[in-house]
Amino acid sequence: MSHAILDLVQQAMSSPWLYVALFALALLDGFFPIVPAETSVITAAVFAASGETNLALVIVVAALGAFAGDHISYLIGNKSGGRLRNKKAFVWARDALAERGGLVLVVARYIPGGRTATTLTMGAVRYPLRSFTFFDTLAASSWAVYSGLIGFFGGMAFENDPIKGLLLGLGIAVSITGVVELVRWLRKRRAIQASPERLPADTSV
């Protein structure tokens, strides 16, 4: 069974349509976040270690797709900002944008659901398109390089067993995301504990 699955995956990796599919998945992930874009990039990069795919092309195509998808999400937010204002994710992204500026787009790339919420929000609040494009170039490029290298090194570690390489790559990606979420939760908790509302009232006369 595992050999049959591996054969199917290898056939997909050797298809000339692979890069078109990677671009499309990365694009759709910009405004339809359940699309497994990162998994697809990691998978393609795993097979780059054995020469089945071209790592540089995988990274470039993924970055371009993510860049295009983010701009579509920005335009969606720009057109429908009024209907987003009371959404919890919108409020989070708006507050993060006010605190960190355009860099929040780079950070949000590694937070589950954060990317879409941030791009929609930046469109809804009419964040300058030129600045959005600049920061999104950083975000899309760093994400593509990160996903590609994780998959590639996973594939190198298990060159004769790409399935294990894929599992290693996905495990690393999930672990990094978990660490980011934990740090974010700890910072939020610390901020709440240090907020003025939690300080004892001044009873002096």
Side-chain angles (χ1 to χ4, degrees):
M1 181 68 176
S2 60
H3 287 295
I5 294 174
L6 181 56
D7 287 341
L8 287 174
V9 174
Q10 286 178 324
Q11 288 176 18
M13 292 300 110
S14 61
S15 169
W17 292 100
L18 168 67
Y19 302 102
V20 176
L22 286 176
F23 177 88
L25 289 171
L27 184 149
L28 289 172
D29 191 44
F31 48 91
F32 196 58
I34 64 172
V35 175
E38 184 171 310
T39 303
S40 302
V41 175
I42 292 175
T43 302
V46 165
F47 283 86
S50 59
E52 296 280 347
T53 60
N54 184 299
L55 178 62
L57 192 53
V58 166
I59 290 174
V60 169
V61 167
L64 290 174
F67 180 85
D70 288 348
H71 278 71
I72 292 174
S73 181
Y74 175 94
L75 291 175
I76 292 173
N78 190 276
K79 298 297 183 183
S80 57
R83 294 194 293 272
L84 298 172
R85 296 188 186 282
N86 295 323
K87 301 289 185 180
K88 185 177 180 180
F90 179 94
V91 173
W92 169 84
R94 184 183 59 199
D95 293 343
L97 181 61
E99 180 182 349
R100 299 187 181 92
L103 283 176
V104 71
L105 184 57
V106 181
V107 176
R109 171 70 59 172
Y110 304 95
I111 298 173
R115 169 193 179 186
T116 304
T118 303
T119 51
L120 286 171
T121 300
M122 293 177 86
V125 300
R126 307 296 194 272
Y127 190 82
L129 181 58
R130 180 176 296 182
S131 296
F132 176 85
T133 298
F134 171 75
F135 285 108
D136 193 48
T137 299
L138 297 178
S141 300
S142 66
W143 169 78
V145 171
Y146 153 82
S147 301
L149 291 182
I150 282 179
F152 183 74
F153 288 120
M156 287 188 67
F158 294 96
E159 189 171 352
N160 297 320
D161 194 343
I163 296 299
K164 288 183 179 179
L166 174 59
L167 292 176
L168 174 62
L170 292 176
I172 293 173
V174 170
S175 298
I176 292 175
T177 301
V179 170
V180 170
E181 282 293 281
L182 177 61
V183 170
R184 196 164 67 92
W185 179 80
L186 289 173
R187 289 185 63 183
K188 182 178 179 180
R189 182 181 179 186
R190 187 177 301 173
I192 292 174
Q193 291 176 342
S195 63
E197 289 81 2
R198 295 182 63 89
L199 296 177
D202 186 0
T203 57
S204 61
V205 178

